[in-house]
């Protein structure tokens, strides 16, 4: 895997997208200390405190990753596997957040790259490593806060590179990863409100399908959602 490090960029996801569109065939990781236009899900901005978090986007060229969201979900599990090494307890929030004690520690943004068909996938990861404080304390946390000690951001980076190389070599077992995601999805069986396609769906989370979709039971009627934003009801 090629690794390219930058001090300041607009968005590492954009660098990874450009790299794929230029026709590069080797997988690559774009890492920055700070982003001036970090992209979050649903068009949001991903803010960072310079040097305190891991900001990385993996560029996986090729047409084999037909399901970018599933790769996002797998990446949440990879982050969790790293947290297990410390260890720090974690949970998943569908579709691809990682939480510690109910607060978000990582955001993941998978993007399919299209040019007359799918030509690659970008998976962006924003992992809160060494922040001490957050503007809204109820929403976010950092590994340092949970673990009690600062860590070099290279540590989770190396672990994620190791796993992404396996993804590229197609030697990861997505069935097993999905089982871990479900096991760590503490909202399974609970009532949720999911915002998807400008609509709000309310029901009980009953399963996550093989392709990463969430199944909600809405008073006996099963609804399959490919993506969305979850809040507990
Ligand atoms: C979310 O909204 O939860 C997803 C946030 C993803 C942020 C990461 S930071 C590195 C990469 N570059 C970006 O512009 N976004 C992703």
């Amino acid at each position: 895997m090629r690794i390219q490090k930058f001090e300041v960029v607009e968005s590492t996801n954009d660098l990874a997208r450009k790299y794929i569109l230029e026709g590069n065939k080797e997988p690559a990781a774009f890492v920055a200390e700070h982003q001036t236009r970090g992209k979050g899900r649903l068009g949001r901005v991903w803010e960072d405190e310079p040097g305190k978090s891991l900001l990385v986007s993996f560029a996986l060229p090729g047409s084999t990753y037909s399901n970018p969201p599933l790769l996002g979900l797998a990446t949440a599990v990879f982050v969790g596997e790293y947290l297990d090494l410390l260890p720090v307890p974690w949970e998943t929030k569908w579709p691809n957040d990682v939480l510690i004690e109910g607060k978000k520690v990582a955001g993941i943004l998978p993007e399919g790259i299209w040019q007359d068909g799918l030509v690659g996938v970008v998976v962006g990861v924003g992992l809160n490593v060494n922040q001490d404080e957050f503007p809204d304390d109820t929403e976010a946390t950092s590994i340092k806060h949970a673990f009690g000690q600062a860590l070099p951001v290279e540590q989770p980076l190396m672990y994620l590179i190791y796993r992404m190389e396996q993804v590229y070599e197609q030697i990861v077992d997505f069935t097993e990863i999905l089982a871990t995601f479900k096991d760590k999805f503490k909202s399974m069986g609970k009532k949720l409100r999911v915002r998807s396609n400008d609509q709000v769906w309310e029901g009980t989370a009953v399963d996550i399908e093989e392709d990463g979709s969430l199944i909600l039971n809405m008073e006996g009627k099963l609804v399959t959602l490919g993506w969305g934003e979850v809040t507990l009801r």
Side-chain angles (χ1 to χ4, degrees):
M1 170 117 29
R2 263 200 233 177
I3 305 171
Q4 296 201 34
K5 292 191 175 176
F6 302 85
E7 263 176 44
V8 184
V9 300
E10 284 195 354
S11 156
T12 53
N13 262 39
D14 289 347
L15 295 179
R17 162 192 293 271
K18 191 162 159 269
Y19 173 85
I20 290 173
L21 288 173
E22 280 166 0
N24 291 292
K25 298 287 176 250
E26 205 190 318
F30 295 87
V31 189
E33 282 176 31
H34 174 53
Q35 294 183 132
T36 54
R37 208 184 293 187
K39 295 200 291 189
R41 296 182 64 233
L42 308 172
R44 294 199 191 110
V45 177
W46 183 262
E47 310 261 6
D48 73 83
E49 215 182 308
K52 299 267 174 163
S53 51
L54 173 62
L55 306 166
V56 56
S57 296
F58 294 95
L60 303 177
S63 56
T64 44
Y65 320 97
S66 49
N67 187 344
L70 186 63
L71 213 50
L73 197 140
T75 305
V77 172
F78 299 157
V79 169
E81 288 170 354
Y82 168 74
L83 294 175
D84 276 339
L85 298 174
L86 295 170
V88 166
W90 59 283
E91 58 187 277
T92 53
K93 182 178 160 195
W94 186 85
N96 40 34
D97 287 349
V98 184
L99 313 180
I100 295 175
E101 289 174 351
K103 298 179 188 180
K104 185 159 163 167
V105 72
I108 292 161
L109 185 63
E111 294 188 70
I113 309 299
W114 302 81
Q115 197 177 50
D116 306 325
L118 189 72
V119 290
V121 175
V122 168
V123 187
V125 183
L127 175 62
N128 300 332
V129 182
N130 288 323
Q131 290 92 334
D132 293 300
E133 283 171 28
F134 289 89
D136 186 351
D137 197 41
T138 57
E139 296 285 330
T141 190
S142 69
I143 298 179
K144 182 181 175 188
H145 190 80
F147 187 56
Q149 166 181 335
L151 294 165
V153 295
E154 282 71 23
Q155 221 181 67
L157 173 64
M158 287 305 140
Y159 186 79
L160 293 179
I161 287 174
Y162 153 72
R163 287 300 253 154
M164 281 301 166
E165 273 177 342
Q166 292 182 332
V167 167
Y168 188 74
E169 288 162 17
Q170 298 184 42
I171 53 169
V172 295
D173 183 348
F174 278 100
T175 311
E176 197 182 308
I177 290 170
L178 196 63
T180 306
F181 189 95
K182 282 203 251 184
D183 183 48
K184 294 284 189 178
F185 183 48
K186 300 296 176 217
S187 298
M188 195 71 88
K190 292 194 183 144
K191 289 213 161 157
L192 301 181
R193 178 176 286 146
V194 185
R195 196 175 285 276
S196 176
N197 291 328
D198 284 335
Q199 256 181 295
V200 175
W201 309 82
E202 287 191 349
T204 307
V206 288
D207 203 2
I208 292 171
E209 289 200 324
E210 252 173 61
D211 68 351
S213 307
L214 176 71
I215 304 180
L216 279 190
N217 183 340
M218 298 175 64
E219 292 169 353
K221 200 174 120 214
L222 296 183
V223 185
T224 306
L225 300 171
W227 63 277
E229 183 83 352
V230 170
T231 45
L232 268 180
R233 244 179 68 183

